[in-house]
Amino acid sequence: MNKKTIRDIDPKGKRVFVRVDFNVPLRGGEISDDTRIRASLPTLQDLLDRGGALIVASHLGRPDGKRVPEMSLAPVAKRLSELLGRPVRMMDDCVGPEVKAAVAAMKPGDVAMLENLRFHPDEEAGDEGFAKQLAGLADIYVNDAFGTAHRAHASTAVMAKFLPAVAGLLVEKEAEMLSRVLESPERPLVAILGGLKPKIGVITNLMKRVDTLLIGGGMAYTFLKAQGKEIGKSVLDEKSLDLAKQILAQSAKSGPPVVLPMDVLITTDLKEGAPTKVVSVDEIPADWMGADIGPETRQRFAQAIKSAKMVVWNGPMGVFEIAAFAEGTRAIAQAVADSAAMSIVGGGDSAAAIEQMGFGEKVTHVCTGGGASLEFLEGKELPGIAALQDR
Ligand code: 3PG
Ligand code: MG
């Protein structure tokens, strides 16, 4: 990454504004997965060790510019305090005279957590005045919010205009991992894509780089339809149909191979206990729908993964939230975990799946950003990274 990082600054005696992505899942006020908080600890700890005072800021959920008490970052501040082993002072807002006064009194080693940035509509609007107010709290700006780096919001991108602006260690690590896939992969490089809709931009960009592309999950049915197959009531993305045809034609002409499911697990209803059967992709009845890849496909995909030196995986193979339709995703998670290849798992559902299935430790890198890692793999410049100072 050609951007400055926290290694290029001296935080001693400074107030450092650290934008993190602590948009964690909350159930009944309890954090059900604190991966994203843990992922930014190296950055926060390093800045504290070197004498900085930290103003930690994040969004949580999508409160749409209003104060929504259930989306307060207070439970996150509590967890952060436990993980850092020092007090974290929770603020009542992210701007305003009280916040300003409180941060002005901060000493080296102090940590304050601002309230949800998205309680203000100016955050998502990328408002300059709001960004300036946030910048006015600190001496240095650090972006460690990889999961939100694809958003050009006040705190993720605009603020960087007003302060020395550098990347945190998480943003650096994520960008380096994903850049390796795009720029200097080990070969063979195998990509596995799943999830609901075809990620055409990602597929197009990866087609230029991978040795094999495996497509499963909901998006596979649009490709099967593009081949002229009956897909019954399976999910179809009409808008992507023509592009899917083009991608298959390109693959047939000049490669790389795009491998679609050969068999699928179908059902009449995406519910636990609904009838299921495994059929060839040429035999999907008109009133059934695909819910997962079948056993032959699991084996074919696992084989491809086994032969890879580098694997990148984004998106589940089926409706894995329902146990009856989770086998495909489990098999891929297992294959990725078993392989000796360098493995990078995109954020969002596939990251949740790999953690939930207990394989998180066995992959090289699990991204903390879903949308952000997809846009990165699409070859797009992420505004949150672009805004930082060049090295
Ligand atoms: C996420 O979890 O996707 C990030 O925190 C960004 O949130 P957003 O999709 O609501 O912008
Ligand atoms: Mg998102």
Side-chain angles (χ1 to χ4, degrees):
M1 198 180 60
N2 66 338
K3 294 293 179 181
K4 288 192 178 168
T5 73
I6 57 170
R7 281 189 297 274
D8 298 304
I9 51 141
D10 178 10
K12 190 165 185 214
K14 301 271 167 56
R15 275 166 310 175
V16 187
F17 186 106
V18 191
R19 181 30 161 126
V20 290
D21 185 338
F22 286 174
N23 182 24
V24 292
L26 284 175
R27 276 189 211 120
E30 291 290 317
I31 297 167
S32 54
D33 178 3
D34 66 1
T35 306
R36 281 180 164 181
I37 306 178
R38 290 174 188 275
S40 274
L41 289 178
T43 296
L44 301 176
Q45 195 61 60
D46 175 74
L47 292 166
L48 287 169
D49 290 346
R50 291 193 286 141
L54 305 188
I55 302 161
V56 182
S58 178
H59 72 285
L60 179 72
R62 292 179 173 167
D64 278 335
K66 292 181 298 285
R67 189 172 267 272
V68 178
E70 299 74 48
M71 295 184 192
S72 168
L73 279 159
V76 173
K78 186 163 164 274
R79 176 63 60 88
L80 178 61
S81 166
E82 288 160 12
L83 292 170
L84 284 174
R86 66 173 80 207
V88 172
R89 178 165 174 195
M90 184 65 208
M91 299 285 151
D92 195 44
D93 203 344
C94 59
V95 287
E98 280 170 37
V99 175
K100 195 145 178 112
V103 301
M106 285 176 84
K107 297 194 182 55
D110 285 352
V111 184
M113 172 113 223
L114 303 184
E115 186 53 286
N116 196 337
L117 293 154
R118 290 190 186 173
F119 284 176
H120 293 262
D122 288 342
E123 162 65 0
E124 288 180 80
D127 183 82
E128 286 223 356
F130 181 68
K132 236 180 216 166
Q133 272 180 279
L134 292 171
L137 301 174
D139 307 303
I140 298 171
Y141 170 78
V142 173
N143 192 349
D144 210 30
F146 180 75
T148 329
H150 58 317
R151 310 279 183 221
H153 295 169
S155 71
T156 60
V158 186
M159 262 186 89
K161 286 189 203 169
F162 305 116
L163 288 173
V166 301
L169 301 175
L170 176 64
V171 160
E172 181 189 38
K173 181 168 85 179
E174 298 266 18
E176 269 172 7
M177 286 289 171
L178 292 166
S179 296
R180 284 208 47 192
V181 174
L182 298 180
E183 283 158 25
S184 54
E186 311 282 333
R187 297 200 178 276
L189 166 62
V190 173
I192 313 133
L193 293 178
L196 213 51
K197 282 188 188 171
K199 296 154 179 132
I200 297 290
V202 178
I203 296 171
T204 310
N205 199 32
L206 289 181
M207 286 282 281
K208 298 180 225 154
R209 296 171 162 87
V210 302
D211 297 289
T212 305
L213 182 59
L214 311 174
I215 296 185
M219 71 158 83
Y221 300 95
T222 298
F223 283 87
L224 293 169
K225 178 87 179 175
Q227 288 183 326
K229 296 193 197 301
E230 166 71 66
I231 60 166
K233 292 198 288 183
S234 309
V235 53
L236 168 68
D237 188 37
E238 285 273 3
K239 289 196 307 295
S240 302
L241 207 47
D242 283 339
L243 288 161
K245 281 183 195 159
Q246 285 172 28
I247 287 163
L248 292 174
Q250 187 199 321
S251 162
K253 194 164 150 242
S254 48
V258 172
V259 187
L260 298 175
M262 40 237 73
D263 61 344
V264 285
L265 178 78
I266 57 172
T267 183
T268 50
D269 209 350
L270 291 175
K271 274 203 281 218
E272 199 72 66
T276 61
K277 57 183 172 185
V278 172
V279 295
S280 138
V281 289
D282 294 307
E283 293 163 352
I284 303 177
D287 50 350
W288 287 61
M289 66 187 97
D292 197 2
I293 55 174
E296 203 186 321
T297 307
R298 296 202 298 257
Q299 225 174 29
R300 173 74 182 79
F301 282 14
Q303 227 161 25
I305 292 166
K306 198 172 176 187
S307 69
K309 286 258 166 59
M310 188 176 217
V311 175
V312 55
W313 176 26
N314 199 296
M317 296 292 104
V319 190
F320 79 100
E321 298 84 352
I322 298 171
F325 312 132
E327 271 318 298
T329 303
R330 176 183 302 282
I332 296 311
Q334 179 86 58
V336 173
D338 287 348
S339 94
M342 178 172 176
S343 49
I344 293 157
V345 178
D349 286 340
S350 28
I354 206 144
E355 298 290 356
Q356 185 182 313
M357 292 169 179
F359 297 120
E361 301 287 294
K362 296 211 169 130
V363 301
T364 313
H365 182 68
V366 181
C367 296
T368 55
S373 64
L374 282 172
E375 290 198 19
F376 201 109
L377 290 175
E378 221 179 312
K380 286 191 183 157
E381 186 173 58
L382 305 185
I385 297 178
L388 303 173
Q389 291 174 346
D390 290 328
R391 187 179 290 285

